[in-house]
Coordinates of all heavy atoms in Angstrom, one line a residue:
M133 N -4.4 -25.3 -34.5 CA -3.6 -24.4 -35.2 C -4.5 -23.1 -35.2 O -5.7 -23.1 -35.2 CB -3.3 -24.6 -36.6 CG -2.5 -23.6 -37.4 SD -2.1 -24.1 -39.0 CE -3.6 -25.0 -39.7
K134 N -3.8 -22.1 -35.0 CA -4.6 -20.7 -34.8 C -4.7 -20.2 -36.3 O -3.8 -19.9 -37.2 CB -3.6 -19.8 -34.1 CG -4.4 -18.8 -33.1 CD -3.5 -18.1 -32.3 CE -2.3 -17.2 -33.0 NZ -1.8 -16.1 -32.1
L135 N -6.0 -19.8 -36.6 CA -6.4 -19.3 -37.8 C -6.9 -17.8 -37.6 O -7.6 -17.5 -36.6 CB -7.6 -20.0 -38.5 CG -7.4 -21.5 -38.8 CD1 -8.7 -22.1 -39.1 CD2 -6.4 -21.6 -40.0
P136 N -6.5 -16.9 -38.6 CA -6.9 -15.4 -38.4 C -8.5 -15.5 -38.4 O -9.0 -16.3 -39.2 CB -6.3 -14.7 -39.5 CG -5.9 -15.8 -40.5 CD -5.7 -17.1 -39.9
S137 N -9.0 -14.6 -37.7 CA -10.6 -14.4 -37.7 C -10.9 -13.4 -38.8 O -12.0 -13.3 -39.3 CB -11.0 -13.9 -36.3 OG -10.3 -12.9 -35.8
E138 N -9.9 -12.6 -39.2 CA -10.2 -11.6 -40.2 C -8.9 -11.3 -41.0 O -7.8 -11.2 -40.4 CB -10.7 -10.3 -39.6 CG -11.2 -9.4 -40.5 CD -11.7 -8.0 -39.9 OE1 -11.8 -7.9 -38.7 OE2 -11.8 -7.0 -40.7
I139 N -9.1 -11.3 -42.5 CA -7.9 -10.8 -43.3 C -8.3 -9.6 -44.0 O -9.5 -9.8 -44.7 CB -7.6 -12.1 -44.1 CG1 -7.3 -13.3 -43.3 CG2 -6.4 -11.7 -45.1 CD1 -7.2 -14.6 -44.2
R140 N -7.6 -8.6 -44.0 CA -7.8 -7.4 -44.8 C -6.6 -7.1 -45.7 O -5.6 -7.1 -45.3 CB -8.2 -6.2 -44.0 CG -9.5 -6.4 -43.2 CD -9.9 -5.0 -42.7 NE -9.0 -4.2 -41.9 CZ -8.7 -4.5 -40.6 NH1 -9.4 -5.2 -39.9 NH2 -7.8 -3.7 -40.0
V141 N -7.0 -6.7 -46.9 CA -5.9 -6.3 -47.8 C -6.2 -4.9 -48.2 O -7.3 -4.5 -48.7 CB -5.8 -7.1 -49.2 CG1 -4.8 -6.6 -50.1 CG2 -5.6 -8.6 -48.8
D142 N -5.3 -4.0 -47.9 CA -5.4 -2.6 -48.3 C -4.5 -2.3 -49.5 O -3.2 -2.3 -49.3 CB -5.0 -1.6 -47.1 CG -5.1 -0.2 -47.5 OD1 -5.1 0.2 -48.6 OD2 -5.4 0.5 -46.6
R143 N -4.8 -2.3 -50.8 CA -4.0 -2.2 -51.8 C -3.4 -0.9 -52.0 O -2.3 -0.8 -52.6 CB -4.8 -2.6 -53.2 CG -5.1 -4.1 -53.2 CD -5.4 -4.5 -54.8 NE -4.2 -4.4 -55.5 CZ -4.2 -4.7 -56.9 NH1 -5.4 -5.0 -57.4 NH2 -3.3 -4.6 -57.6
G144 N -4.2 0.1 -51.5 CA -3.7 1.6 -51.6 C -2.5 1.7 -50.7 O -1.3 2.2 -51.2
A145 N -2.5 1.2 -49.4 CA -1.4 1.4 -48.5 C -0.4 0.2 -48.6 O 0.6 0.2 -48.1 CB -1.9 1.5 -47.1
R146 N -0.9 -0.9 -49.4 CA -0.1 -2.0 -49.6 C 0.1 -2.7 -48.3 O 1.3 -3.1 -48.0 CB 1.2 -1.7 -50.5 CG 0.8 -1.5 -51.9 CD 2.0 -1.2 -52.8 NE 2.9 -0.2 -52.5 CZ 4.2 -0.5 -52.3 NH1 4.6 -1.7 -52.4 NH2 5.0 0.6 -51.9
L147 N -0.8 -3.0 -47.5 CA -0.7 -3.7 -46.3 C -1.7 -4.8 -46.2 O -2.9 -4.7 -46.7 CB -1.0 -2.7 -45.1 CG -0.1 -1.4 -44.9 CD1 -0.7 -0.5 -43.9 CD2 1.3 -2.0 -44.5
L148 N -1.2 -5.8 -45.5 CA -2.1 -7.0 -45.2 C -2.3 -7.0 -43.7 O -1.3 -6.8 -43.0 CB -1.5 -8.2 -45.6 CG -2.2 -9.6 -45.1 CD1 -3.4 -9.9 -46.1 CD2 -1.2 -10.8 -45.2
T149 N -3.5 -6.9 -43.3 CA -3.9 -7.0 -41.8 C -4.5 -8.4 -41.4 O -5.4 -8.7 -42.1 CB -4.8 -5.8 -41.4 OG1 -4.1 -4.7 -41.8 CG2 -5.1 -5.9 -40.0
L150 N -3.9 -9.0 -40.5 CA -4.5 -10.2 -39.9 C -4.9 -9.9 -38.4 O -4.2 -9.4 -37.6 CB -3.4 -11.3 -40.0 CG -2.8 -11.7 -41.3 CD1 -1.7 -12.6 -41.1 CD2 -3.9 -12.4 -42.2
R151 N -6.2 -10.3 -38.3 CA -6.7 -10.3 -36.9 C -6.8 -11.6 -36.3 O -7.4 -12.6 -37.1 CB -8.0 -9.6 -36.8 CG -8.7 -9.6 -35.5 CD -10.1 -9.1 -35.6 NE -10.0 -7.6 -35.4 CZ -10.0 -7.0 -34.2 NH1 -10.0 -7.6 -33.0 NH2 -9.9 -5.7 -34.2
W152 N -6.3 -12.0 -35.2 CA -6.2 -13.3 -34.7 C -7.3 -13.3 -33.6 O -7.8 -12.4 -33.1 CB -4.8 -13.6 -34.0 CG -3.7 -13.4 -35.0 CD1 -3.0 -12.4 -35.3 CD2 -3.4 -14.5 -36.0 NE1 -2.1 -12.8 -36.4 CE2 -2.3 -14.0 -36.9 CE3 -3.9 -15.8 -36.2 CZ2 -1.7 -14.7 -38.0 CZ3 -3.3 -16.6 -37.3 CH2 -2.2 -16.0 -38.1
P153 N -7.8 -14.6 -33.3 CA -8.9 -14.8 -32.5 C -8.8 -14.2 -31.1 O -9.8 -14.0 -30.4 CB -8.9 -16.4 -32.3 CG -8.2 -16.9 -33.4 CD -7.2 -16.0 -33.9
D154 N -7.6 -14.0 -30.7 CA -7.4 -13.3 -29.3 C -7.5 -11.7 -29.4 O -7.2 -11.1 -28.4 CB -6.1 -13.7 -28.7 CG -4.7 -13.3 -29.5 OD1 -5.0 -12.7 -30.6 OD2 -3.6 -13.8 -29.2
G155 N -7.7 -11.3 -30.7 CA -8.0 -9.9 -30.8 C -6.8 -9.2 -31.3 O -6.8 -8.0 -31.6
D156 N -5.6 -9.8 -31.3 CA -4.3 -9.3 -31.8 C -4.3 -9.0 -33.2 O -4.8 -9.7 -33.9 CB -3.3 -10.3 -31.5 CG -1.8 -9.7 -31.5 OD1 -1.8 -8.4 -31.5 OD2 -0.9 -10.4 -31.7
E157 N -4.1 -7.8 -33.7 CA -4.1 -7.5 -35.0 C -2.7 -7.0 -35.5 O -2.1 -6.3 -34.9 CB -5.1 -6.3 -35.1 CG -5.7 -6.0 -36.5 CD -6.8 -5.1 -36.7 OE1 -6.5 -3.9 -37.0 OE2 -7.9 -5.6 -36.5
R158 N -2.3 -7.6 -36.6 CA -0.9 -7.4 -37.1 C -1.0 -7.1 -38.5 O -1.8 -7.5 -39.3 CB 0.0 -8.7 -37.0 CG 0.1 -9.1 -35.5 CD 0.9 -8.0 -34.7 NE 0.9 -8.3 -33.2 CZ 2.0 -9.0 -32.7 NH1 3.1 -9.3 -33.4 NH2 2.0 -9.2 -31.5
T159 N 0.0 -6.2 -38.9 CA 0.0 -5.7 -40.3 C 1.3 -6.0 -40.9 O 2.4 -5.9 -40.2 CB -0.3 -4.1 -40.3 OG1 -1.7 -3.9 -39.8 CG2 -0.3 -3.6 -41.7
I160 N 1.3 -6.5 -42.1 CA 2.5 -6.7 -42.9 C 2.4 -6.1 -44.2 O 1.4 -6.1 -44.9 CB 2.7 -8.4 -43.2 CG1 2.3 -9.1 -41.9 CG2 4.0 -8.7 -43.8 CD1 2.1 -10.7 -42.3
G161 N 3.5 -5.5 -44.5 CA 3.6 -4.8 -45.9 C 3.8 -5.8 -47.1 O 4.2 -6.8 -46.9
H162 N 3.1 -5.5 -48.1 CA 3.0 -6.4 -49.4 C 4.5 -6.7 -49.8 O 4.7 -7.8 -50.3 CB 2.2 -5.7 -50.5 CG 0.8 -5.8 -50.1 ND1 -0.2 -5.3 -51.0 CD2 0.1 -6.1 -49.0 CE1 -1.4 -5.3 -50.4 NE2 -1.3 -5.8 -49.2
A163 N 5.4 -5.6 -49.8 CA 6.7 -5.8 -50.3 C 7.4 -6.9 -49.3 O 8.1 -7.8 -49.8 CB 7.5 -4.6 -50.4
Q164 N 7.3 -6.7 -48.0 CA 7.8 -7.7 -47.0 C 7.2 -9.1 -47.3 O 8.0 -10.1 -47.3 CB 7.5 -7.3 -45.7 CG 8.2 -8.2 -44.7 CD 7.7 -8.1 -43.3 OE1 7.0 -7.1 -42.9 NE2 8.3 -9.0 -42.4
L165 N 5.8 -9.2 -47.7 CA 5.4 -10.6 -47.9 C 6.0 -11.2 -49.2 O 6.3 -12.3 -49.2 CB 3.9 -10.4 -48.1 CG 2.9 -10.3 -47.0 CD1 1.6 -10.0 -47.6 CD2 3.0 -11.6 -46.4
R166 N 6.1 -10.3 -50.2 CA 6.8 -10.8 -51.5 C 8.2 -11.3 -51.3 O 8.6 -12.3 -51.8 CB 6.7 -9.7 -52.5 CG 7.3 -10.1 -53.8 CD 6.5 -11.2 -54.5 NE 7.2 -11.6 -55.8 CZ 8.2 -12.5 -55.7 NH1 8.7 -13.0 -54.7 NH2 8.8 -12.8 -57.0
E167 N 8.9 -10.4 -50.4 CA 10.4 -10.9 -50.2 C 10.5 -12.1 -49.2 O 11.6 -12.5 -49.1 CB 11.0 -9.6 -49.6 CG 11.2 -8.6 -50.7 CD 12.0 -7.1 -50.2 OE1 12.1 -7.1 -49.0 OE2 12.1 -6.4 -51.0
S168 N 9.4 -12.4 -48.6 CA 9.5 -13.5 -47.6 C 8.8 -14.7 -48.2 O 8.4 -15.7 -47.5 CB 8.7 -13.1 -46.2 OG 9.2 -11.9 -45.8
C169 N 8.5 -14.7 -49.5 CA 7.8 -15.7 -50.2 C 8.5 -17.1 -49.8 O 9.6 -17.3 -50.0 CB 7.8 -15.5 -51.7 SG 6.9 -16.9 -52.6
P170 N 7.5 -18.1 -49.4 CA 8.0 -19.3 -49.0 C 8.0 -20.4 -50.0 O 8.2 -21.6 -49.7 CB 7.0 -19.7 -47.8 CG 5.8 -19.1 -48.2 CD 6.0 -17.9 -49.0
C171 N 7.8 -20.0 -51.3 CA 7.8 -21.1 -52.4 C 9.3 -21.7 -52.6 O 10.2 -21.1 -52.1 CB 7.2 -20.5 -53.7 SG 8.3 -19.7 -54.8
A172 N 9.2 -23.0 -53.1 CA 10.5 -23.6 -53.3 C 11.5 -22.8 -54.0 O 12.7 -22.7 -53.7 CB 10.2 -24.9 -54.1
E173 N 11.1 -22.0 -55.2 CA 12.0 -21.2 -55.9 C 12.5 -20.1 -55.0 O 13.9 -19.8 -55.2 CB 11.3 -20.6 -57.1 CG 12.0 -19.7 -58.0 CD 11.1 -19.0 -59.1 OE1 10.0 -19.5 -59.3 OE2 11.5 -18.0 -59.4
C174 N 11.8 -19.3 -54.3 CA 12.3 -18.2 -53.5 C 13.2 -18.7 -52.3 O 14.2 -18.2 -52.0 CB 11.2 -17.4 -53.0 SG 10.2 -16.5 -54.3
R175 N 12.8 -19.8 -51.8 CA 13.6 -20.4 -50.7 C 15.0 -20.9 -51.2 O 15.9 -20.6 -50.5 CB 12.8 -21.7 -50.0 CG 12.0 -21.4 -48.9 CD 11.7 -22.6 -48.0 NE 11.6 -23.8 -48.7 CZ 10.6 -24.5 -49.2 NH1 9.3 -23.9 -48.7 NH2 10.5 -25.7 -49.7
R176 N 14.9 -21.4 -52.3 CA 16.2 -21.8 -53.0 C 17.1 -20.7 -53.1 O 18.3 -20.7 -52.9 CB 16.0 -22.6 -54.4 CG 17.1 -23.5 -54.8 CD 16.7 -24.5 -55.8 NE 15.7 -23.9 -56.8 CZ 14.6 -24.4 -57.2 NH1 14.3 -25.4 -56.5 NH2 13.9 -23.8 -58.1
R177 N 16.6 -19.5 -53.7 CA 17.4 -18.4 -53.9 C 17.9 -17.8 -52.7 O 19.1 -17.4 -52.5 CB 16.4 -17.4 -54.7 CG 16.2 -17.6 -56.0 CD 15.5 -16.4 -56.6 NE 16.0 -15.2 -56.6 CZ 15.4 -14.1 -57.1 NH1 14.3 -14.2 -57.8 NH2 16.0 -13.0 -57.0
R178 N 17.1 -17.8 -51.4 CA 17.6 -17.4 -50.2 C 18.6 -18.2 -49.6 O 19.7 -17.8 -49.1 CB 16.4 -17.1 -49.2 CG 15.7 -15.8 -49.4 CD 14.7 -15.5 -48.2 NE 13.7 -16.6 -48.2 CZ 12.5 -16.5 -48.7 NH1 12.2 -15.5 -49.5 NH2 11.6 -17.4 -48.6
L179 N 18.5 -19.5 -49.8 CA 19.5 -20.5 -49.4 C 20.8 -20.2 -50.1 O 21.9 -20.5 -49.6 CB 19.0 -22.0 -49.5 CG 18.0 -22.4 -48.5 CD1 17.4 -23.8 -48.8 CD2 18.6 -22.5 -47.1
A180 N 20.7 -19.8 -51.4 CA 22.0 -19.7 -52.2 C 22.5 -18.4 -51.8 O 23.5 -17.9 -52.4 CB 21.5 -19.8 -53.6
G181 N 21.9 -17.6 -50.9 CA 22.5 -16.3 -50.5 C 22.0 -15.1 -51.2 O 22.4 -14.0 -51.0
D182 N 21.1 -15.3 -52.1 CA 20.5 -14.3 -52.9 C 19.3 -13.8 -52.1 O 18.5 -14.5 -51.5 CB 19.9 -14.7 -54.4 CG 21.0 -15.0 -55.4 OD1 22.1 -14.5 -55.0 OD2 20.8 -15.7 -56.2
E183 N 19.1 -12.4 -52.2 CA 18.0 -11.9 -51.7 C 16.8 -11.8 -52.7 O 17.1 -11.8 -53.9 CB 18.1 -10.3 -51.5 CG 18.7 -10.1 -50.1 CD 18.9 -8.6 -50.0 OE1 17.8 -7.9 -49.6 OE2 20.0 -8.1 -50.0
V184 N 15.6 -12.0 -52.2 CA 14.4 -12.1 -53.0 C 13.8 -10.6 -53.0 O 13.5 -10.2 -51.9 CB 13.3 -13.0 -52.6 CG1 12.0 -12.8 -53.5 CG2 13.8 -14.4 -52.7
R185 N 14.1 -9.8 -54.0 CA 13.7 -8.4 -54.0 C 12.4 -8.3 -54.5 O 12.1 -8.7 -55.6 CB 14.6 -7.6 -54.7 CG 16.2 -7.7 -54.2 CD 16.3 -7.0 -52.9 NE 16.1 -5.5 -53.0 CZ 15.9 -4.9 -51.7 NH1 16.1 -5.4 -50.7 NH2 15.7 -3.6 -52.0
A186 N 11.6 -7.4 -53.8 CA 10.2 -7.1 -54.4 C 10.3 -6.0 -55.4 O 11.2 -5.0 -55.0 CB 9.2 -6.7 -53.3
A187 N 9.6 -6.0 -56.4 CA 9.6 -5.0 -57.4 C 8.9 -3.8 -56.8 O 8.1 -3.9 -55.9 CB 8.9 -5.3 -58.6
E188 N 9.4 -2.6 -57.2 CA 8.8 -1.4 -56.7 C 7.2 -1.4 -56.8 O 6.7 -1.7 -57.8 CB 9.4 -0.2 -57.4 CG 8.9 1.3 -57.1 CD 10.0 1.9 -56.2 OE1 11.1 1.6 -56.1 OE2 9.5 3.0 -55.5
G189 N 6.6 -1.1 -55.7 CA 5.1 -0.9 -55.8 C 4.4 -2.3 -55.8 O 3.1 -2.2 -56.2
V190 N 5.0 -3.4 -55.6 CA 4.4 -4.6 -55.6 C 3.2 -4.7 -54.7 O 3.3 -4.2 -53.7 CB 5.4 -5.8 -55.4 CG1 5.8 -6.0 -53.9 CG2 4.8 -7.1 -56.1
S191 N 2.2 -5.3 -55.1 CA 1.0 -5.4 -54.2 C 0.3 -6.9 -54.3 O 0.6 -7.5 -55.3 CB -0.1 -4.3 -54.5 OG -0.6 -4.4 -55.7
V192 N -0.3 -7.1 -53.3 CA -1.2 -8.3 -53.3 C -2.5 -8.2 -54.1 O -3.1 -7.1 -53.9 CB -1.6 -8.7 -51.8 CG1 -2.5 -10.0 -51.8 CG2 -0.3 -9.0 -51.0
T193 N -2.7 -9.0 -55.2 CA -3.9 -9.0 -56.0 C -4.9 -10.0 -55.6 O -6.1 -9.8 -56.0 CB -3.5 -9.0 -57.5 OG1 -2.8 -10.3 -57.7 CG2 -2.6 -7.9 -57.8
D194 N -4.5 -11.0 -55.0 CA -5.5 -12.1 -54.6 C -5.0 -13.0 -53.5 O -3.8 -13.2 -53.4 CB -5.7 -13.0 -56.0 CG -7.1 -13.7 -55.8 OD1 -7.9 -13.4 -55.0 OD2 -7.4 -14.6 -56.6
L195 N -6.0 -13.5 -52.9 CA -5.7 -14.5 -51.7 C -6.6 -15.7 -52.0 O -7.7 -15.6 -52.3 CB -5.9 -13.9 -50.3 CG -5.3 -12.5 -50.0 CD1 -5.9 -12.0 -48.7 CD2 -3.9 -12.8 -49.8
Q196 N -6.0 -16.8 -51.7 CA -6.7 -18.2 -51.7 C -6.5 -18.8 -50.5 O -5.4 -19.2 -50.2 CB -6.2 -18.9 -52.9 CG -6.6 -18.9 -54.2 CD -8.2 -18.7 -54.4 OE1 -9.0 -19.3 -54.0 NE2 -8.3 -17.8 -55.4
S197 N -7.5 -19.0 -49.7 CA -7.2 -19.7 -48.3 C -7.0 -21.2 -48.7 O -7.8 -21.8 -49.5 CB -8.5 -19.6 -47.6 OG -8.3 -20.2 -46.2
M198 N -6.1 -21.9 -48.2 CA -5.7 -23.2 -48.4 C -5.9 -24.2 -47.2 O -5.4 -25.2 -47.2 CB -4.2 -23.3 -48.8 CG -3.9 -22.4 -50.0 SD -4.6 -22.9 -51.5 CE -3.5 -24.2 -52.0
G199 N -6.6 -23.6 -46.2 CA -6.7 -24.5 -45.0 C -5.7 -24.3 -44.0 O -5.8 -23.6 -42.9
Y200 N -4.4 -24.6 -44.3 CA -3.3 -24.5 -43.4 C -2.6 -23.1 -43.5 O -1.7 -22.7 -42.8 CB -2.3 -25.6 -43.5 CG -1.5 -25.7 -44.7 CD1 -0.2 -25.1 -44.9 CD2 -2.0 -26.2 -45.9 CE1 0.6 -25.0 -46.1 CE2 -1.3 -26.3 -47.2 CZ -0.1 -25.7 -47.1 OH 0.7 -25.6 -48.4
G201 N -3.1 -22.4 -44.5 CA -2.5 -21.0 -44.8 C -3.1 -20.4 -46.0 O -4.4 -20.9 -46.2
M202 N -2.5 -19.5 -46.7 CA -3.0 -18.9 -47.9 C -2.1 -18.7 -48.9 O -0.9 -18.4 -48.7 CB -3.8 -17.6 -47.5 CG -3.1 -16.6 -47.0 SD -4.0 -15.0 -46.8 CE -2.9 -14.0 -46.1
Q203 N -2.6 -18.9 -50.1 CA -1.8 -18.7 -51.4 C -1.9 -17.2 -51.6 O -3.1 -16.7 -51.6 CB -2.2 -19.5 -52.5 CG -1.4 -19.2 -53.8 CD -2.0 -20.0 -54.9 OE1 -3.0 -20.6 -54.9 NE2 -1.2 -20.0 -56.1
I204 N -0.8 -16.5 -51.9 CA -0.9 -15.0 -52.2 C -0.5 -14.7 -53.5 O 0.6 -15.2 -54.0 CB 0.0 -14.2 -51.2 CG1 -0.5 -14.6 -49.7 CG2 -0.1 -12.7 -51.4 CD1 0.3 -13.7 -48.6
V205 N -1.3 -14.1 -54.4 CA -1.0 -13.7 -55.8 C -0.5 -12.2 -55.6 O -1.2 -11.3 -55.2 CB -2.3 -13.8 -56.6 CG1 -1.9 -13.4 -58.1 CG2 -2.7 -15.4 -56.6
F206 N 0.7 -12.0 -56.3 CA 1.2 -10.6 -56.3 C 1.0 -9.8 -57.7 O 1.0 -10.6 -58.7 CB 2.7 -10.6 -55.9 CG 2.9 -11.2 -54.5 CD1 3.2 -12.4 -54.1 CD2 2.9 -10.1 -53.5 CE1 3.3 -12.8 -52.8 CE2 3.1 -10.4 -52.2 CZ 3.4 -11.8 -51.8
S207 N 1.1 -8.7 -57.6 CA 0.9 -7.9 -58.9 C 2.2 -8.1 -59.9 O 2.0 -7.8 -61.1 CB 0.9 -6.4 -58.6 OG 2.0 -5.9 -57.9
D208 N 3.2 -8.8 -59.4 CA 4.3 -9.0 -60.4 C 4.1 -10.4 -61.1 O 4.9 -10.9 -61.8 CB 5.7 -8.9 -59.6 CG 5.9 -10.0 -58.5 OD1 4.8 -10.7 -58.3 OD2 6.8 -10.0 -58.0
G209 N 3.0 -11.0 -60.7 CA 2.6 -12.3 -61.4 C 3.1 -13.5 -60.5 O 2.7 -14.6 -60.9
H210 N 3.9 -13.2 -59.5 CA 4.3 -14.4 -58.7 C 3.2 -14.8 -57.7 O 2.5 -14.1 -57.1 CB 5.5 -13.8 -57.8 CG 6.3 -15.0 -57.2 ND1 7.1 -15.8 -58.1 CD2 6.4 -15.6 -56.0 CE1 7.7 -16.8 -57.3 NE2 7.3 -16.6 -56.1
A211 N 2.9 -16.1 -57.9 CA 1.7 -16.7 -57.2 C 1.9 -18.1 -56.6 O 1.1 -18.9 -56.3 CB 0.5 -16.7 -58.1
R212 N 3.3 -18.5 -56.5 CA 3.7 -19.8 -56.1 C 3.7 -20.0 -54.6 O 3.7 -21.1 -54.1 CB 5.0 -20.1 -56.6 CG 4.9 -20.0 -58.2 CD 6.5 -20.1 -58.6 NE 6.9 -21.5 -58.4 CZ 7.2 -22.4 -59.4 NH1 7.0 -22.1 -60.6 NH2 7.6 -23.4 -59.2
G213 N 3.7 -18.9 -53.8 CA 4.0 -19.0 -52.4 C 2.7 -19.4 -51.7 O 1.6 -18.7 -51.8
I214 N 2.7 -20.4 -50.9 CA 1.6 -20.7 -49.9 C 2.1 -20.4 -48.5 O 3.1 -21.1 -48.0 CB 1.1 -22.1 -50.1 CG1 0.6 -22.3 -51.6 CG2 0.0 -22.4 -48.9 CD1 0.2 -23.8 -51.9
Y215 N 1.6 -19.3 -47.9 CA 2.1 -18.9 -46.6 C 1.3 -19.6 -45.5 O 0.1 -19.2 -45.3 CB 1.9 -17.3 -46.5 CG 2.6 -16.6 -47.5 CD1 2.4 -16.6 -48.9 CD2 3.6 -15.7 -47.1 CE1 3.2 -15.9 -49.8 CE2 4.3 -15.0 -47.9 CZ 4.0 -15.1 -49.3 OH 5.0 -14.4 -50.2
P216 N 2.0 -20.5 -44.6 CA 1.2 -21.2 -43.6 C 0.8 -20.0 -42.5 O 1.6 -19.0 -42.4 CB 2.2 -22.1 -43.1 CG 3.2 -22.3 -44.1 CD 3.3 -21.0 -44.9
W217 N -0.3 -20.2 -41.9 CA -0.6 -19.2 -40.9 C 0.4 -19.0 -39.8 O 0.6 -17.8 -39.4 CB -2.0 -19.7 -40.1 CG -3.1 -20.0 -41.1 CD1 -3.8 -21.1 -41.2 CD2 -3.7 -19.0 -42.0 NE1 -4.8 -20.8 -42.2 CE2 -4.8 -19.8 -42.7 CE3 -3.4 -17.7 -42.3 CZ2 -5.5 -19.0 -43.6 CZ3 -4.2 -17.0 -43.3 CH2 -5.3 -17.8 -43.9
T218 N 1.1 -20.1 -39.4 CA 2.1 -19.8 -38.4 C 3.3 -19.0 -38.9 O 3.9 -18.2 -38.2 CB 2.7 -21.2 -38.0 OG1 3.1 -22.0 -39.2 CG2 1.8 -22.0 -37.2
Y219 N 3.6 -19.0 -40.3 CA 4.6 -18.3 -40.9 C 4.2 -16.8 -40.9 O 5.0 -16.0 -40.6 CB 4.9 -18.8 -42.2 CG 6.1 -18.2 -43.0 CD1 7.2 -18.1 -42.5 CD2 5.8 -17.6 -44.3 CE1 8.4 -17.4 -43.2 CE2 6.8 -16.9 -44.9 CZ 8.1 -16.9 -44.5 OH 9.1 -16.2 -45.0
L220 N 2.9 -16.5 -41.3 CA 2.4 -15.2 -41.3 C 2.4 -14.6 -40.0 O 2.8 -13.4 -39.7 CB 1.0 -15.2 -41.9 CG 0.9 -15.5 -43.4 CD1 -0.6 -15.7 -43.8 CD2 1.3 -14.2 -44.1
A221 N 2.1 -15.4 -38.9 CA 2.1 -14.9 -37.5 C 3.5 -14.4 -37.2 O 3.7 -13.4 -36.4 CB 1.6 -15.9 -36.6
Q222 N 4.4 -15.2 -37.6 CA 5.9 -14.9 -37.3 C 6.3 -13.6 -38.0 O 7.1 -12.8 -37.5 CB 6.9 -16.0 -37.7 CG 6.8 -17.2 -36.9 CD 7.5 -18.4 -37.5 OE1 8.2 -18.2 -38.4 NE2 7.2 -19.6 -37.0
L223 N 5.9 -13.4 -39.3 CA 6.4 -12.3 -40.2 C 5.8 -11.0 -39.6 O 6.5 -9.9 -39.7 CB 5.7 -12.4 -41.6 CG 6.5 -13.4 -42.4 CD1 5.7 -13.2 -43.8 CD2 7.9 -13.1 -42.6
A224 N 4.5 -11.0 -39.0 CA 3.9 -9.8 -38.7 C 4.4 -9.1 -37.4 O 5.1 -9.9 -36.5 CB 2.5 -10.0 -38.4
Ligands
ZN1094 ZN1 8.2 -17.4 -54.3

């Protein structure tokens, strides 16, 4: 599995930047990350046809590497999503 060689969080611009081993660098907005949360609760809402809406100005406050991906903690208190690296690569 491909792991990012560098992870940067810009809280001012609310961007997450992932650099991959091949040098490819991709940026994802924090709101997009929040709305794409892969936790069971958010997945269930999307399956039910509801959108998961990010609160205005939501940002990433913490990251925990989990081996196969990373847990992302958001400023709205939501911290249940563990984003696999492959999923992050698709989002960016
Ligand atoms: Zn979620």
Side-chain angles (χ1 to χ4, degrees):
M133 185 180 34
K134 218 169 58 157
L135 298 169
S137 50
E138 193 187 340
I139 301 169
R140 289 198 309 272
V141 175
D142 183 335
R143 289 197 67 185
R146 295 192 291 120
L147 294 172
L148 173 80
T149 302
L150 298 173
R151 174 185 275 276
W152 299 96
D154 60 7
D156 194 20
E157 202 171 89
R158 297 297 174 97
T159 297
I160 316 170
H162 291 182
Q164 187 196 346
L165 279 170
R166 179 64 185 85
E167 290 177 353
S168 309
C169 177
C171 82
E173 181 193 330
C174 293
R175 271 208 317 267
R176 199 162 46 234
R177 285 180 55 178
R178 280 193 296 270
L179 283 173
D182 285 342
E183 271 181 79
V184 176
R185 301 289 300 166
E188 180 100 18
V190 74
S191 64
V192 172
T193 58
D194 198 17
L195 302 171
Q196 272 326 312
S197 186
M198 307 289 282
Y200 68 95
M202 64 181 177
Q203 182 182 11
I204 302 182
V205 179
F206 291 96
S207 58
D208 64 358
H210 199 72
R212 302 170 67 108
I214 297 170
Y215 295 64
W217 301 123
T218 47
Y219 184 58
L220 287 166
Q222 284 166 21
L223 282 181

